[in-house]
Every structure is written in C-alpha cells, then in structure tokens.
Amino acid sequence: MTPTHSVTAPLRIDSAELRLVRLPLVTPFTISTGTMVEKVFPLLTLRADGIEGYAEGVMDPLPDYLEETIAGGMAFLRDLILPQVVGKTFENPAAMDRLLAPWRGHQMAKAVVEMAFWDLWAKSLNLPLKTVFGGSGDKVAVGVSLGIGPVEETLDRVAAHLAQGYQRIKLKVRPGHDEVLVAAVRNAFPDCHLTVDANSCYTLADTALMRRLDAFALDYIEQPLAWDDIHDHAVLQQRIQTPICLDECLRTSGDVRKALQSDAARVVNIKVGRSGGYVESLRMHDICAAFSVPVWCGGMLESGIGRAHNIHLSTLPNFTKPGDTSSASRYFTRDLIEEKLETSEGWMPVPTGPGIGVTPDWEFLATITRSTETFRP
Ligand code: OSB
Ligand code: MG
C-alpha cells in the first residue's frame, strides 16, 4: 500500500510574534545576587499551517544570573534570528538548531526560538512534546526553592511545603545567611531532602565553611563558586563530602562534559531555557547518564508557558531528582495560561494534549503585554 501522506511534513514559519510580558510575583524572591519582585520576560509565538508554538525567555533585566539580558536577547531575536526564521521551511527541530548554531553564546535567546519550534513541531504531529523527544510518564517529582528570608519565617515555609508533600527543600544562601540557617532547618527536619543554592556567592577562600556544611547531610550544594568557573568547583569537590551540583556553569553540553570529566559536579541542574533549547539539553542529559550523574530540572520563576516546557523536559529517564517546577500559584496570583499547573503530594502532572499542552489566556495576556513585534517574510 502506498501511503497517501507523509507522517511528518516540513514546517514553513508563516509569522512570528515577540512580546515583552510582565507578571507580578506573589512574594519577592531573594537570592544572593538580588531580589525579584516581578517576572519580566520575552514571549515568542511561531505560526505555521494554522498552528502556534510558544516559549518564553529566562533572561533577566540585568546580567546578574548569567550575562544575557532581556534587552540583549530581544535585539538578537529581532535583528538577527526572527527575520531568518519567518518564511523559511524547517524539516525538523535539528534544522532549527543548524540555523542557530553559528552564533556564539546567546543560549537563552536561542532557546526561546528552539523551544517554540519544538512545541509547534509536536503539535504538527499531534503528539505531546515529551513523546517527541523520548520522555514518558504522566507526572514529575518536584521540590521547592525558598528565597532568602528570616530564619524563623523560613522554618515555617519549610514546614508548610513539606506538609504539601514537596519532595525536596532548596534553601537560597549567601554569606552570613548560610550555616545557621541550614543548621536550624536540618535540626527541625532531620529527614527531609535538603539542598542549598549559593548562586555563585562564595570562593575557594570559603572552603572551611563548605566543609562545615558536610555535617548537615545535604543532597548537594548548588553552584557555590563563580558562574563561569568549572575548574574551581573541581578543586572544591576534592575538599568536601557533599556533592556539588552545577547550574550557572552549564550552558552547553561541552560545559557538562568538562564538568563531569573533571569531577566538578556530581549532580546536574538542567534548565532548557538556559541551555540553547532541547537539542542541547538532551545532549546534556545523555552525557550525565553516561557518567552515572543524576540530573534534575531547574527553574527561573517561569510563567505557565516555560513551566509546561520544564515539566515535559523532566520526563526524560535520567531526571531522577526532584525539580524546581513547583505549583504556579506559589509564584503568581494569576498565570497567563488557561490551565492550572499545580502539584499534588510533590508530583506535577504532565499537561496532556499536543505540544506543551497549555493554552495562553489571550485576554489576560493583553493586559500584561508591554510591547509586541510581528515578523513576516
Ligand atoms: O539558581 O535556580 C536558580 C530563580 C531565579 C534565578 C535562578 C534560580 C532560581 C531558583 C528558583 O532557584 C527556581 C524556581 O522556583 O523556578
Ligand atoms: Mg541555581
């Protein structure tokens, strides 16, 4: 029998829409580098054959997590990438990656386009996104990331989240707000999975403090040293028992390979939005599996669009530790999608339906959109 149609058809991008969106946060979120009171981000729609793919960017207004910024990322997309994407036909996501590959850096900005294309691609196949890249399962394990605040208040928040079933507590730390906090939480909750995230605020001069943290049975210490320094993390790992988990240092699969080869990380945080998109995140995932290093899915306070992407990514088999993709209601009074992304007993259901499986709430989105730019061939 001759097939009457091909199962996959090349997709021609008819148009793209780049918005700048602003969502207020329920509570300010403080990490070692500063405080966020609202989530501002680029939101991209790619259109082809009457279907739409969506993704958001994880860059911040200021280059204080990594060097990418919203302004820089939007310029890269507006001036260089989107004019090349519209009117062009792509065989598959790998073809999109070839278009992005020549350009140095810009992993967050590249991820916006790449992820939106994967959503579009999966929808064109009428399949959930996870299925298209080899994930499985209908729920993913999650913990919470708690921002810096008074110790007493943090203890209450830990108790409340453990009562809700969250499977791991991550405490943000900074110099002067570390050992005492961790001791208090560990003392009150001797058995919970506990981690800390320094967001690069220490140096090797803090080795003695890092060694003292070994006493608290942390699952790992996330990104204690400089954002761009894999080497010093390898040095620190030789001096402490607690596994090091890298976040900021890992933008490409090459970074992951170097980190694991030098024993700079024994746990890996993958953020698809930080790493150029799915093709590179899949490579990262596979390298970690080859080194028997467990991975988990990080977050950047994403809206429902980025959150849905993170949930799909987390269905890959080596995501064996709880991720940061907790209930959207912890971050926003009102999310910008129709669906509610809420956990139950520490499990986040994977949205069903084609692609990322969530739908923008266009009416609400109109009220929080700061600017909109449309791109056509
Ligand atoms: O380092 O993982 C991080 C939030 C903003 C910037 C960096 C980080 C974080 C978080 C929060 O830890 C993760 C989340 O709840 O989305
Ligand atoms: Mg982190």
Side-chain angles (χ1 to χ4, degrees):
M1 216 173 85
T2 317
T4 52
H5 67 284
S6 64
V7 177
T8 69
L11 282 177
R12 179 183 182 273
I13 307 298
D14 298 321
S15 68
E17 187 189 81
L18 181 63
R19 292 175 183 240
L20 182 65
V21 174
R22 183 193 149 270
L23 261 183
L25 290 174
V26 171
T27 50
F29 188 73
T30 299
I31 68 176
S32 65
T33 55
T35 299
M36 292 173 71
V37 296
E38 58 179 15
K39 175 70 187 173
V40 184
F41 56 98
L43 180 68
L44 178 69
T45 304
L46 293 179
R47 298 199 181 91
D49 299 335
I51 49 178
E52 296 186 333
Y54 313 110
E56 69 182 85
V58 301
M59 53 291 260
D60 291 309
L62 297 174
D64 55 4
Y65 164 78
L66 286 172
E67 73 272 58
E68 288 186 75
T69 60
I70 292 173
M74 288 184 73
F76 176 78
L77 295 173
R78 175 193 306 123
D79 300 337
L80 186 57
I81 302 301
L82 294 177
Q84 290 183 56
V85 164
V86 293
K88 193 172 155 113
T89 300
F90 296 89
E91 295 287 331
N92 49 41
M96 178 62 79
D97 275 69
R98 281 194 291 278
L99 181 138
L100 300 169
W103 312 116
R104 308 296 196 244
H106 293 92
Q107 294 300 93
M108 293 176 173
K110 289 176 177 180
V112 184
V113 183
E114 209 260 12
M115 293 163 69
F117 186 79
W118 274 91
D119 180 29
L120 190 65
W121 180 251
K123 285 169 178 162
S124 78
L125 299 174
N126 199 28
L127 290 170
L129 180 54
K130 66 175 184 194
T131 308
V132 180
F133 57 64
S136 62
D138 54 14
K139 59 186 187 344
V140 301
V142 287
V144 288
S145 173
L146 300 181
I148 293 170
V151 175
E152 283 306 316
E153 196 181 302
T154 305
L155 285 168
D156 290 345
R157 299 183 71 207
V158 172
H161 286 102
L162 289 175
Q164 287 172 46
Y166 280 109
Q167 302 189 37
R168 175 269 283 148
I169 302 291
K170 156 168 148 185
L171 305 171
K172 291 288 187 178
V173 291
R174 70 175 167 212
H177 184 80
D178 38 39
E179 204 180 353
V180 169
L181 170 77
V182 175
V185 173
R186 181 44 95 205
N187 186 41
F189 307 97
D191 300 323
C192 77
H193 285 285
L194 187 62
T195 73
V196 295
D197 187 356
N199 290 108
S200 297
C201 65
Y202 299 107
T203 70
L204 285 177
D206 299 301
T207 299
L209 166 67
M210 299 291 123
R211 276 185 191 227
R212 292 199 299 277
L213 294 181
D214 280 342
F216 302 113
L218 301 175
D219 285 19
Y220 50 81
I221 299 178
E222 186 175 342
Q223 194 70 38
L225 308 179
W227 58 278
D228 58 350
D229 197 335
I230 291 174
H231 177 271
D232 275 7
H233 283 96
V235 172
L236 179 63
Q237 185 68 86
Q238 292 309 304
R239 300 179 180 170
I240 64 174
Q241 294 294 318
T242 309
I244 291 175
C245 171
L246 290 180
D247 174 356
E248 281 88 332
C249 276
L250 308 176
R251 268 85 66 74
T252 66
S253 58
D255 295 334
V256 171
R257 194 264 299 160
K258 288 165 204 166
L260 302 195
Q261 240 184 330
S262 60
D263 194 26
R266 296 180 182 170
V267 177
V268 161
N269 170 339
I270 299 182
K271 291 176 178 168
V272 57
R274 174 200 71 203
S275 313
Y278 287 101
V279 169
E280 201 60 14
S281 296
L282 291 164
R283 291 188 188 114
M284 291 175 156
H285 168 270
D286 293 352
I287 290 170
C288 292
F291 278 83
S292 301
V293 165
V295 311
W296 57 277
C297 181
M300 296 288 284
L301 317 182
E302 286 95 339
S303 84
I305 298 292
R307 196 167 299 276
H309 275 284
N310 290 343
I311 297 167
H312 281 273
L313 179 74
S314 307
T315 63
L316 287 166
N318 196 34
F319 280 80
T320 51
K321 289 187 175 290
D324 272 348
T325 307
S326 55
S327 293
S329 60
R330 294 187 58 246
Y331 307 82
F332 314 111
T333 317
R334 183 170 175 184
D335 200 353
L336 49 67
I337 55 169
E338 304 280 354
E339 298 77 5
K340 299 258 174 278
L341 297 178
E342 297 295 304
T343 60
S344 165
E345 290 305 316
W347 295 93
M348 176 65 89
V350 183
T352 54
I356 54 174
V358 298
T359 322
D361 175 347
W362 293 111
E363 230 167 82
F364 179 53
L365 199 46
T367 69
I368 56 170
T369 298
R370 290 309 170 92
S371 65
T372 308
E373 298 165 81
T374 305
F375 300 81
R376 291 183 207 287

